[in-house]
Amino acid sequence: TQRVYIFGKNKSQGDASMKNLLGGKGANLAEMSRIGLSVPPGLTITTDTCAEFHSNGRQLPPGCWEEVLAGLQSVEAEMGCRLGDPAAPLLLSVRSGAAISMPGMMDTVLNLGLNDACAAGLAARAGGDERFAYDAYRRFLDMYGDVVMGIPHHLFEEQLERIKAERRVSEDTALTAADLKVLVGRYKEVYRALGKVFPEDPYEQLRLAIYAVFDSWRSERADVYRAVNGIAGLAGTAVNVQAMAFGNMGPTSGTGVCFTRNPSTGERKLYGEYLINAQGEDVVAGIRTPEPIDTLERTLPAAFKELLDNCALLEKHYKDMQDIEFTVQEGKLYMLQCRGGKRTGTAAVRIAVELVDEGLISEDAAVLMVEPGHLDQLLHPQFANEAAYKGDVLGTGLPASPGAAVGQAVFNAEDAEAWRSSGLPVVLVRRETSPEDVKGMYSAEGVLCQLGGMTSHAAVVARGWGKPCITGCADLQVDEHNKVARINGHEIRQGDWISLNGSTGEIVRGKQPLAPPELAGDLGRFMSWVDKRRALGVLTNADTPEDAAEARKFGAEGIGLCRTEHMFFASEERIATVRRMIVAQTKDARLKALADLLPFQRADFEGILRAMAGLPVTIRLLDPPLHEFLPDGEMTEVCEALAADAGVTVDEVYGTIEKLQEVNPMLGFRGCRLGITYPEITEMQVRAMLEAAVRVIRDLGPSSVQLDVMVPLVGTAAELANQEGLVRRVAEQVMSESGGVRVPYRVGTMIEVPRAALQAGAIAKTAEFFSFGTNDLTQMTFGYSRDDIGKFLPVYLEKGILAADPFQVLDQEGVGELIRFAVERGRAARPGLKIGICGEQGGEPKTVAFLHEVGLDYVSCSPFRVPIARLAAAQAAV
Ligand code: ADP
Ligand code: MG
Ligand code: MG
């Protein structure tokens, strides 16, 4: 196997298609020199070699070093100098670069090949420029010590500061050649003081530098970066060994970075910065303040012109915005790196649209170019400047729901509502949240929870509303009783301003400035291309008329899941009525409470049907275990209050509550089990739905309503048949009462119990539609409680037992197999059966792609994820 690929004038062995083998940097260096740009020659050691190196116990595989030496000879030939030759020393950079860019995670060494003799030789070759040679030498000793020998960079930095102080200068460039020689001596002293031996032999330097780059692949920060960004399955990093271009050869030299378009706004204008008389890392390290790229036109006009030409050429060639590193050596431009540039959501959409207009890419390519995460950013308010608040970050939790929230801290739902209604923006801070906090969460700009994971109650609810939320913050202690939270030595008291960055998990002190979500005009055009391409319908999960209207603005084509019970908490009166229904000791008492609930439900359904007029609306029958509706608090107080309100005895209430207490509520008395046990609950809900539909039809006409009544938690065909009978009986009754208004409705079921998936054929005989409830289906297929997965999920992810949280990204192998099976059986029993998904995963791009392939009719997701699901569905179809 070939392990080393050379690049250079007219002899590049690699190209841009070889990113997996050569890493992104290596593949693009080869490509740039192939298309005739001036790139210092070099060689790339493959990523596979990195894997071999580690499995060999940190040894290069046999023959590899010889290949490196052979490649080096061709570099030497092109450069006209040789590694370690004092008469004409070749200097090298040794650079990491994996298939996926991991900025700053791995190591680079510059100016390799110097020792005392070669430094003197370098000065002579540079026309006696000792300053340049010893500047390169001291930089090399620093980087080599840091990256290869494990000597902390700050020890060198201290020496640099010391000599600057001694010479009373503030800029590195003000040090003279003599100063730099002294500095070189002191840097060597740093090595000696730690008992380290600096290898004088350039070949030994090179060998150890290659080892260090391979080692950096396994460094902790690289591991963490890959984990956080979900990067898996790469062999390792490549190593690029490349001739140096010198940006530190005086006032006609320099180094810089630029984007071919503005990465924040997408504007088609070179964006970047540079430093005169400097090398590589100086630009990012912030030692000197770099100049904006425009001014390069004045300082180095020829190089600037060539840079502009190269940028245009590279954009044409790669058909995308590029991120470029360059160095100018005595007026001559060298290209050192190019790659597709990272960009904000705003920029991504604008660039994609403009590249189509410029004729560079097709609409298909534009649709593929914008990432779902880009749209996500566009739809949430953002901090005006994230860099500006770094000093005020108090701590970090899990980034559970993206976006920026700024408000005054409150510690319970009632305060949140009260403050909000008097016009004050609040951030709700809780130990954890329960369904009872929902209204308070709704009132808040954002939610901060000490406990919980990415799929905890707070997280799911917050994402549903597009509200920023941070959960699982280990450094946070919330004392709800005393209305104070402590985090890393700071106190957050009620009324204190705090800011949450739900995209990063940062908890920030004070009132940080926000910018509204930017819905640039390009977005509409872009989404029209998206919609032309997708096969999947995109519906939304919405529980209120406001959510429904919001989702419709985002392009939702109906409601795939309306959870009726979320409205039970909407007012004191409602929840009290629900509780009277629960503690009713007789059927009559229960019927009375249900009759009181009916108008509330009817009004909600009517609002939702109106908001979605002309589109399908799927309403689910009551699902959660009843005890979720009982108040929290001290047992005797709760019982007394409930008894007084419902006109029953305290003992009776106590007995009812005890009966409802469950060891495992998620597998308990819920879903259709409720409606089968208490048919009057289902009857009331269906009556409310149908009466609402009749009203809307009378007003807006017969095609304004398409009602889908959905039965939850079905495991057997008989369960569904039971509820279906009830639904149809009540529906017919309401329609006949209405004097002839026909309501188009269907009865279907959720597929969320594994047995239902297995029995899909039998169930489809009754069901007119299926909706995969993948939250419960995942929970029951894995046997993981979704509220407790946080305890072991991090370990599972870290040990590679799970590749992703299955409550966020659908498990295609297991749960997905059940879905495939149920789709096949269901459609065999009932051709044309309408099938969708309403679980949390329904808006997740990888899941959407899978469901497209399985042949679902639609996905349903929270309103803010609708545009993302539309994009993902289009990308799956292109
Ligand atoms: P990273 O991936 O962290 O950007 P690089 O390998 O690109 O690391 O290099 C770090 C810095 O060193 C960059 O600024 C780059 O431009 C500079 N550099 C790398 N190779 C050379 C070279 N052959 N000549 C001059 N500068 C170089
Ligand atoms: Mg770089
Ligand atoms: Mg469910």
Side-chain angles (χ1 to χ4, degrees):
T1 44
Q2 183 177 358
R3 295 195 181 85
V4 172
Y5 289 72
I6 57 171
F7 55 88
K9 254 197 199 91
N10 314 319
K11 58 177 181 217
S12 293
Q13 296 175 330
D15 63 47
S17 71
M18 296 167 72
K19 292 208 169 70
N20 275 332
L21 189 62
L22 303 180
K25 199 179 287 169
N28 283 334
L29 283 169
E31 186 79 13
M32 282 196 293
S33 46
R34 237 171 221 285
I35 63 175
L37 303 190
S38 58
V39 175
L43 57 92
T44 304
I45 312 174
T46 64
T47 56
D48 289 343
T49 310
C50 179
E52 289 183 276
F53 172 81
H54 286 294
S55 60
N56 281 353
R58 298 188 67 250
Q59 299 246 322
L60 291 180
C64 182
W65 180 244
E66 289 68 25
E67 274 188 72
V68 170
L69 296 181
L72 201 54
Q73 280 184 3
S74 94
V75 176
E76 291 176 332
E78 186 173 329
M79 295 299 291
C81 40
R82 298 209 325 266
L83 185 63
D85 178 357
L90 173 67
L91 264 55
L92 298 170
S93 71
V94 179
R95 320 171 64 186
S96 58
I100 296 175
S101 136
M102 298 168 46
M105 287 305 122
M106 290 176 299
D107 292 325
T108 296
V109 178
L110 301 183
N111 306 322
L112 184 137
L114 285 172
N115 49 34
D116 291 350
C118 289
L122 183 66
R125 288 273 289 190
D129 187 350
E130 289 204 313
R131 197 198 169 280
F132 153 69
Y134 288 91
D135 182 53
Y137 196 11
R138 63 97 188 169
R139 287 169 185 275
F140 173 55
L141 285 166
D142 179 348
M143 279 186 120
Y144 196 85
D146 180 24
V147 170
V148 182
M149 311 292 286
I151 303 172
H153 170 65
H154 72 88
L155 296 180
F156 298 110
E157 197 70 356
E158 281 162 21
Q159 294 303 325
L160 180 61
E161 288 313 313
R162 193 180 126 204
I163 199 159
K164 277 159 67 177
E166 287 168 5
R167 302 296 186 265
R168 295 175 201 283
V169 298
S170 59
E171 302 251 316
D172 302 359
T173 42
L175 293 172
T176 65
D179 298 337
L180 291 169
K181 274 188 190 170
V182 172
L183 191 57
V184 161
R186 290 182 184 172
Y187 276 12
K188 288 187 172 176
E189 196 49 51
V190 171
Y191 278 70
R192 272 193 293 276
L194 293 175
K196 308 269 182 182
V197 181
F198 168 70
E200 298 280 342
D201 174 8
Y203 286 90
E204 185 65 1
Q205 293 171 2
L206 177 59
R207 196 176 57 82
L208 293 177
I210 292 171
Y211 284 22
V213 171
F214 281 154
D215 283 336
S216 70
W217 174 254
R218 292 248 178 128
S219 66
E220 199 187 323
R221 64 184 169 169
D223 280 340
V224 169
Y225 184 89
R226 284 189 292 267
V228 168
N229 291 281
I231 300 172
L234 299 184
T237 179
V239 182
N240 301 287
V241 178
Q242 185 182 29
M244 285 298 298
F246 297 107
N248 54 335
M249 277 190 133
T252 57
S253 303
T255 185
V257 294
C258 68
F259 291 84
T260 54
R261 301 180 190 228
N262 186 313
S264 305
T265 64
E267 190 193 357
R268 189 184 182 191
K269 180 168 182 286
L270 207 57
Y271 176 95
E273 45 195 24
Y274 72 99
L275 275 173
I276 288 293
N277 197 11
Q279 267 195 328
E281 316 270 71
D282 295 358
V283 178
V284 267
I287 304 168
R288 281 191 276 152
T289 311
E291 304 293 326
I293 198 84
D294 307 350
T295 64
L296 188 64
E297 182 161 23
R298 275 190 277 112
T299 44
L300 298 168
F304 183 72
K305 163 122 200 351
E306 194 179 343
L307 182 63
L308 280 185
D309 292 347
N310 287 357
C311 286
L313 183 69
L314 285 173
E315 276 209 346
K316 272 222 175 67
H317 187 72
Y318 285 101
K319 301 181 187 312
D320 193 8
M321 182 262 259
Q322 296 293 299
D323 170 356
I324 286 165
E325 288 176 7
F326 65 90
T327 283
V328 181
Q329 176 177 337
E330 302 196 295
K332 164 114 186 70
L333 176 73
Y334 291 94
M335 304 296 283
L336 294 177
Q337 189 172 343
C338 78
R339 60 184 162 197
K342 288 209 189 332
R343 64 205 74 180
T344 65
T346 312
V349 171
R350 176 164 175 187
I351 290 170
V353 168
E354 292 190 357
L355 287 176
V356 170
D357 289 343
E358 291 160 27
L360 242 56
I361 61 171
S362 64
E363 290 180 8
D364 277 356
V367 165
L368 291 174
M369 179 179 266
V370 175
E371 294 163 17
H374 287 140
L375 287 190
D376 200 17
Q377 279 179 29
L378 281 179
L379 302 168
H380 297 89
Q382 303 295 312
F383 285 110
N385 179 3
E386 293 195 6
Y389 68 55
K390 293 295 174 195
D392 290 319
V393 174
L394 299 176
T396 306
L398 297 173
S401 179
V406 178
Q408 293 174 271
V410 293
F411 292 86
N412 63 51
E414 296 84 77
D415 288 345
E417 278 180 65
W419 288 50
R420 174 76 260 180
S421 58
S422 49
L424 300 170
V426 295
V427 167
L428 179 61
V429 183
R430 300 285 288 166
R431 249 177 79 76
E432 57 194 325
T433 67
S434 79
E436 261 200 297
D437 291 329
V438 162
K439 269 208 88 187
M441 290 177 65
Y442 201 77
S443 305
E445 305 303 307
V447 181
L448 172 60
C449 276
Q450 179 178 334
L451 304 175
M454 300 278 286
T455 58
S456 65
H457 172 264
V460 172
V461 172
R463 275 200 298 277
W465 293 329
K467 222 177 252 302
C469 175
I470 296 174
T471 58
C473 180
D475 293 332
L476 183 71
Q477 288 95 39
V478 178
D479 179 350
E480 289 167 359
H481 184 71
N482 292 306
K483 302 189 176 180
V484 59
R486 293 181 184 82
I487 178 165
N488 295 322
H490 290 271
E491 267 190 10
I492 302 171
R493 306 197 149 270
Q494 175 164 292
D496 287 352
W497 284 93
I498 55 170
S499 304
L500 305 181
N501 187 335
S503 314
T504 61
E506 288 163 310
I507 301 152
V508 192
R509 179 175 32 192
K511 188 179 179 179
Q512 304 297 332
L514 290 176
E518 282 188 46
L519 295 163
D522 295 326
L523 188 57
R525 248 180 104 204
F526 177 77
M527 291 310 288
S528 76
W529 300 340
V530 162
D531 287 339
K532 266 194 281 178
R533 282 163 178 79
R534 65 189 162 87
L536 277 171
V538 178
L539 279 61
T540 191
N541 300 347
D543 307 327
T544 63
E546 297 77 44
D547 285 357
E550 181 93 57
R552 211 172 169 160
K553 274 194 266 162
F554 286 137
E557 299 162 296
I559 291 181
L561 173 63
C562 171
R563 311 177 199 81
T564 64
E565 62 274 6
H566 277 187
M567 282 98 84
F568 288 177
F569 288 104
S571 72
E572 276 307 312
E573 196 187 353
R574 287 181 181 207
I575 188 63
T577 314
V578 172
R579 286 171 186 159
R580 273 202 296 280
M581 185 264 287
I582 293 170
V583 299
Q585 301 299 309
T586 63
K587 184 162 177 186
D588 275 353
R590 189 157 47 247
L591 283 173
K592 169 77 180 57
L594 285 168
D596 292 343
L597 260 184
L598 179 90
F600 294 128
Q601 291 239 291
R602 187 175 54 213
D604 291 338
F605 295 150
E606 188 179 337
I608 288 171
L609 288 170
R610 279 180 192 280
M612 279 288 163
L615 298 173
V617 172
T618 314
I619 301 178
R620 179 177 71 181
L621 296 173
L622 189 64
D623 183 54
L626 294 179
H627 63 78
E628 280 198 7
F629 301 107
L630 295 174
D632 285 340
E634 212 269 309
M635 193 64 174
T636 41
E637 274 173 34
V638 165
C639 290
E640 277 166 18
L642 279 177
D645 185 59
V648 296
T649 71
V650 174
D651 279 350
E652 284 169 334
V653 173
Y654 193 80
T656 306
I657 292 181
E658 274 216 306
K659 255 192 274 169
L660 289 177
Q661 221 100 59
E662 292 180 316
V663 175
N664 198 339
M666 278 300 134
L667 300 176
F669 186 26
R670 55 176 288 226
C672 65
R673 298 157 203 177
L674 292 169
I676 291 171
T677 308
Y678 302 118
E680 53 276 17
I681 297 180
T682 300
E683 283 166 5
M684 181 279 288
Q685 292 203 291
V686 175
R687 174 166 284 278
M689 287 179 219
L690 268 288
E691 288 182 357
V694 166
R695 290 179 185 203
V696 175
I697 287 177
R698 281 207 177 114
D699 199 15
L700 302 176
S703 56
S704 60
V705 171
Q706 169 55 63
L707 177 65
D708 285 344
V709 182
M710 183 153 78
V711 183
L713 219 74
V714 161
T716 72
E719 284 175 320
L720 178 61
N722 170 291
Q723 291 291 286
E724 188 237 13
L726 264 181
V727 173
R728 294 205 184 279
R729 182 166 54 69
V730 176
E732 286 308 321
Q733 207 175 319
V734 175
M735 286 189 278
S736 71
E737 289 163 15
S738 78
V741 175
R742 296 302 300 175
V743 176
Y745 76 96
R746 291 183 287 204
V747 185
T749 183
M750 301 195 57
I751 302 288
E752 54 185 339
V753 175
R755 193 183 189 284
L758 296 169
Q759 281 296 297
I763 289 172
K765 296 217 168 74
T766 308
E768 292 176 289
F769 64 88
F770 282 177
S771 175
F772 290 101
T774 44
N775 296 344
D776 272 310
L777 190 58
T778 298
Q779 179 156 260
M780 292 191 225
T781 301
F782 276 100
Y784 297 158
S785 153
R786 107 167 113 132
D787 297 307
D788 297 313
I789 190 173
K791 296 186 180 126
F792 59 88
L793 181 67
V795 178
Y796 270 38
L797 293 176
E798 194 203 322
K799 292 194 194 289
I801 290 171
L802 287 176
D805 179 347
F807 292 101
Q808 287 185 52
V809 183
L810 185 83
D811 159 49
Q812 298 182 10
E813 284 174 7
V815 179
E817 193 65 14
L818 279 172
I819 291 177
R820 265 185 212 283
F821 182 88
V823 167
E824 197 184 298
R825 289 294 164 94
R827 292 224 173 107
R830 183 188 287 266
L833 178 70
K834 178 174 110 162
I835 307 180
I837 177 182
C838 61
E840 269 287 301
Q841 302 95 332
E844 192 282 318
K846 288 194 202 103
T847 307
V848 173
F850 173 78
L851 297 172
H852 168 82
E853 185 232 319
V854 172
L856 258 57
D857 295 299
Y858 71 88
V859 298
S860 185
C861 56
S862 46
F864 281 89
R865 297 201 70 85
V866 165
I868 296 166
R870 286 159 70 197
L871 176 59
Q875 291 181 336
V878 163

